[in-house]
Amino acid sequence: MSCCVNPPCPHAVTMPILRPDVVLSTCFDERFPASNVLDGLESTFYLTTGLFPQEILMNFSGDEVSVNRIQLVCHGVKAIKIERCTEHVPSAFEPVVDCELASPPSGLQREQFQVNKATVGNGVRFLKIIIASGYEQFAAIHSIVVEGDGPSRA
């Protein structure tokens, strides 16, 4: 299992960016949908409804991918978990990341999680992002970038 690697290493090798789709979120506000986390813009975001935990489930068009790194830009998130599923249907999840994030004095939280491609990063079909708790009543995720190898490569 991995925890925070922040700030990003300037010498880190950049992997291709994978393009998952959001298939489910446990809360919904039409002004702040979960799909905003994948649009590449930090000005848009997914906002929780004030209760924790909250989840976003993403898939890679049914393909198996190898995940190397997950980058997250968020606000007000205290504890984050990321789980993977290798099944064709999202049923059995295994932990990839379980981490408590530091609370910045202001602004966005920028986190990077290295994932071992040979073990928990291999054969991924679904990723579940779990906001386990927040520093405030509401939390937001502005961006999720998944890097690795697989058919979903851009």
Side-chain angles (χ1 to χ4, degrees):
M1 203 165 1
S2 177
C3 198
C4 310
V5 179
N6 189 13
C9 173
H11 305 291
V13 176
T14 302
M15 298 292 293
I17 295 175
L18 300 170
R19 305 286 183 201
D21 295 309
V22 171
V23 294
L24 175 82
S25 65
T26 55
C27 67
F28 178 75
D29 183 325
E30 63 188 22
R31 298 168 299 166
F32 311 109
S35 59
N36 282 352
V37 303
L38 300 174
D39 67 10
L41 304 172
E42 287 186 10
S43 59
T44 62
F45 52 90
Y46 163 74
L47 186 66
T48 66
T49 56
L51 299 173
F52 297 103
Q54 295 292 341
E55 300 179 1
I56 298 174
L57 180 63
M58 302 183 298
N59 81 351
F60 297 91
S61 301
D63 295 323
E64 282 189 8
V65 300
S66 293
V67 176
N68 185 57
R69 183 178 316 149
I70 301 168
Q71 297 179 46
L72 179 72
V73 178
C74 55
H75 176 80
V77 175
K78 184 174 184 180
I80 191 94
K81 296 179 182 183
I82 301 174
E83 298 177 346
R84 72 157 187 166
C85 177
T86 59
E87 305 295 325
H88 288 279
V89 294
S91 54
F93 286 87
E94 302 170 273
V96 175
V97 171
D98 189 347
C99 190
E100 188 160 314
L101 307 182
S103 176
S106 64
L108 299 176
Q109 297 162 289
R110 297 178 186 279
E111 305 295 336
Q112 178 173 267
F113 308 102
Q114 286 298 129
V115 178
N116 185 337
K117 272 185 13 178
T119 57
V120 294
N122 194 28
V124 176
R125 291 182 187 272
F126 295 90
L127 278 180
K128 186 190 303 184
I129 312 298
I130 304 165
I131 304 171
S133 62
Y135 283 104
E136 302 165 8
Q137 186 176 4
F138 298 93
I141 297 180
H142 291 255
S143 174
I144 299 171
V145 175
V146 181
E147 296 179 17
D149 295 310
S152 298
R153 199 175 348 177

